[in-house]
Amino acid sequence: MAGQDPALSTSHPFYDVARHGILQVAGDDRFGRRVVTFSCCRMPPSHELDHQRLLEYLKYTLDQYVENDYTIVYFHYGLNSRNKPSLGWLQSAYKEFDRKYRLHFLNMKNACIVLPPTAPPSLQPSASLHKFGKKVIYFNYLSELHEHLKYDQLVIPPEVLRYDEKLQSLHEGRTPPPTKTPPPRPPLPTQQFGVSLQYLKDKNQGELIPPVLRFTVTYLREKGLRTEGLFRRSASVQTVREIQRLYNQGKPVNFDDYGDIHIPAVILKTFLRELPQPLLTFQAYEQILGITCVESSLRVTRCRQILRSLPEHNYVVLCYLMGFLHAVSRESIFNKMNSSNLACVFGLNLIWPSQGVSSLSALVPLNMFTELLIEYYEKIFSTPEAPGERGLAPWEQGSRAAPLQEAVPQTQATGLTKPTLPPSPLMAARRRL
């Protein structure tokens, strides 16, 4: 991985943070002081990085040099709305540094900050850090570092080098070089979001149903089926990121601690949306768009045909999810979420094109297909009706059958009959079926 120390081991106490290569200790300045570099471009999105752990790792690193002089080089390029820490975190970080660190920052000889010409004012030294501010040197270009450091010893991210070249080209009136996308960083062994179903299966002893999906579905089945507006409500971005970090680090999540039934619902949708490939796969996108051209009485059969082309793993996970959503729709008299409403929420979380985003005209067939899967769950995912049609594979009916059985809605002894729901675009198809 770019930026990662080849000697870095998974046994490192801060491997989850150190693996990104945000912090590096390499080379010396002109006076022989060790150089510590901090590269913002290597900070992943906030939900993938525990900023408290980043702070602890920073202290852990500085502890090794805190009794001696050193120089810090901060590369600002790459800090954006997706990966920057909150202002509250910055304030708490400063407070958390004890007297030992504060005094040494003031005695530190240099802090070199390499910034683009339009540096945000919030990064300028404040009055409370006046002494520290006097030791800060601001640079617009990497070439200016040569005077102060042994430049060839620095670990400078390729992204920073390319951006510096672009700035130099613009300054000299030349056409900037084309940008290149850096290689993706490998996920943590415990990563849950943003990784493939195969990765999750391999890291979870062959379990087909991803842990996040199983935990959220189980919780919502037990406590949320009759919650009005289930899957309609949003949740705090900070809370969602916090839960994502916990899952990605392999830590337990207790949704009872958050006191909001809509949070696991949001986490479920987020998990689906962040899959590298949609659950229904890119290959099925065009087939699904054609569902509106199929005669209404044949659409359920067409759904079964399309699902036959899915990889086995995707099919099992989809069956598990649709069984749950079917159960949610059966409680629509309480939660107001019938199959049509659920389809509007989940359509774009189950399928999207490989390039760009779905057009407005694509929403009708995508939602219709999703509504068919939910409304006719038992028929679509039942055993084969014709030769060559897929039902449950033998291995799905054995030890792996538990998640699928759990997904099948059970008749509840409530004495209530299913209410008459508002008509949906599929009403005509249902009558013919």
Side-chain angles (χ1 to χ4, degrees):
M1 180 183 70
Q4 178 174 300
D5 184 350
L8 183 64
S9 168
T10 54
S11 61
H12 188 286
F14 290 93
Y15 173 77
D16 57 315
V17 180
R19 71 192 186 95
H20 295 291
I22 302 167
L23 211 60
Q24 300 279 354
V25 180
D28 304 301
D29 65 10
R30 294 298 182 188
F31 299 96
R33 297 183 292 253
R34 296 297 284 164
V35 175
V36 180
T37 63
F38 188 104
S39 303
C40 291
C41 64
R42 288 183 174 158
M43 293 178 66
S46 295
H47 71 265
E48 295 180 14
L49 178 66
D50 186 335
H51 289 127
Q52 183 59 35
R53 288 278 293 168
L54 174 61
L55 177 58
E56 293 170 1
Y57 176 50
L58 178 59
K59 292 169 63 177
Y60 169 85
T61 303
L62 294 183
D63 270 335
Q64 303 172 55
Y65 306 98
V66 75
E67 301 304 330
N68 304 298
D69 288 333
Y70 57 84
T71 294
I72 292 181
V73 177
Y74 167 82
F75 295 112
H76 175 68
Y77 173 76
L79 192 68
N80 54 55
S81 60
R82 297 180 67 238
N83 66 0
K84 69 178 180 182
S86 66
L87 179 59
W89 179 86
L90 292 173
Q91 293 172 337
S92 64
Y94 178 72
K95 293 178 182 177
E96 192 163 329
F97 277 105
D98 57 22
R99 183 175 177 81
K100 174 179 64 173
Y101 292 101
R102 290 188 188 179
L103 284 178
H104 193 66
F105 280 141
L106 296 182
N107 293 331
M108 184 179 61
K109 301 302 180 184
N110 266 326
C112 304
I113 301 183
V114 183
L115 295 170
T118 55
S122 59
L123 288 174
Q124 307 301 325
S126 64
S128 61
L129 295 177
H130 182 65
K131 290 183 180 179
F132 176 70
K134 287 184 176 180
K135 300 177 182 294
V136 175
I137 304 174
Y138 290 90
F139 296 135
N140 289 325
Y141 306 103
L142 292 176
S143 59
E144 299 173 37
L145 285 172
H146 285 279
E147 181 183 345
H148 300 268
L149 309 170
K150 296 179 181 179
Y151 182 85
D152 57 339
Q153 296 180 357
L154 288 180
V155 179
I156 303 177
E159 301 95 317
V160 173
L161 292 171
R162 288 193 294 268
Y163 185 72
D164 180 70
E165 186 177 351
K166 177 181 177 181
L167 288 179
Q168 294 280 11
S169 299
L170 292 174
H171 179 72
E172 297 171 7
R174 293 185 284 113
T175 303
T179 58
K180 298 180 180 178
T181 303
R185 299 182 176 93
L188 284 169
T190 53
Q191 192 89 13
Q192 299 292 309
F193 290 84
V195 293
S196 68
L197 293 178
Q198 184 62 47
Y199 184 90
L200 292 168
K201 176 185 174 183
D202 294 343
K203 297 298 181 181
N204 289 278
Q205 294 76 49
E207 175 59 55
L208 295 173
I209 307 302
V212 172
L213 181 59
R214 182 180 294 282
F215 295 154
T216 51
V217 164
T218 300
Y219 189 87
L220 292 170
R221 272 187 175 277
E222 293 176 354
K223 303 184 178 183
L225 284 184
R226 296 189 173 187
T227 300
E228 184 172 342
L230 189 64
F231 296 113
R232 285 282 195 189
R233 309 288 176 82
S234 59
S236 161
V237 173
Q238 182 178 356
T239 300
V240 172
R241 287 179 176 175
E242 174 190 341
I243 294 173
Q244 285 183 294
R245 281 197 296 267
L246 290 175
Y247 272 127
N248 286 340
Q249 293 167 13
K251 297 178 180 179
V253 173
N254 185 353
F255 288 116
D256 287 337
D257 294 340
Y258 298 92
D260 185 353
I261 194 65
H262 296 287
I263 288 178
V266 172
I267 293 297
L268 190 157
K269 291 188 295 182
T270 302
F271 170 79
L272 293 171
R273 189 165 54 247
E274 293 194 2
L275 287 172
Q277 180 172 202
L279 186 56
L280 284 167
T281 73
F282 293 130
Q283 291 73 22
Y285 185 76
E286 294 299 328
Q287 298 181 64
I288 292 172
L289 290 187
I291 194 68
T292 52
C293 300
V294 177
E295 185 180 340
S296 57
S297 62
L298 300 176
R299 285 173 182 166
V300 169
T301 300
R302 180 55 181 156
C303 286
R304 290 170 64 95
Q305 292 172 346
I306 292 174
L307 297 191
R308 275 166 40 192
S309 66
L310 292 181
E312 292 283 354
H313 195 176
N314 293 62
Y315 182 85
V316 174
V317 174
L318 180 67
C319 179
Y320 180 82
L321 177 63
M322 290 301 108
F324 166 61
L325 295 182
H326 182 73
V328 173
S329 70
R330 288 167 62 97
E331 299 290 347
S332 59
I333 191 173
F334 301 104
N335 58 41
K336 313 302 182 187
M337 296 298 292
N338 57 29
S339 57
S340 177
N341 294 333
L342 289 169
C344 291
V345 173
F346 277 89
L348 291 178
N349 292 319
L350 295 175
I351 184 71
W352 55 85
S354 58
Q355 300 293 329
V357 297
S358 298
S359 63
L360 289 177
S361 61
L363 294 181
V364 173
L366 296 184
N367 290 351
M368 177 182 287
F369 185 84
T370 306
E371 185 178 350
L372 284 164
L373 297 185
I374 298 171
E375 181 69 14
Y376 297 104
Y377 162 76
E378 293 167 334
K379 184 174 179 64
I380 291 174
F381 292 94
S382 64
T383 53
E385 291 181 344
E389 283 205 25
R390 170 195 265 152
L392 298 184
W395 50 269
E396 294 170 17
Q397 298 171 356
S399 60
R400 297 290 177 197
L404 300 179
Q405 292 168 357
E406 177 186 342
V408 177
Q410 304 296 321
T411 303
Q412 299 188 14
T414 59
L416 296 173
T417 58
K418 186 174 179 181
T420 301
L421 302 179
S424 73
L426 295 177
M427 190 57 69
R430 292 176 190 145
R431 288 171 180 160
R432 295 185 187 183
L433 290 168

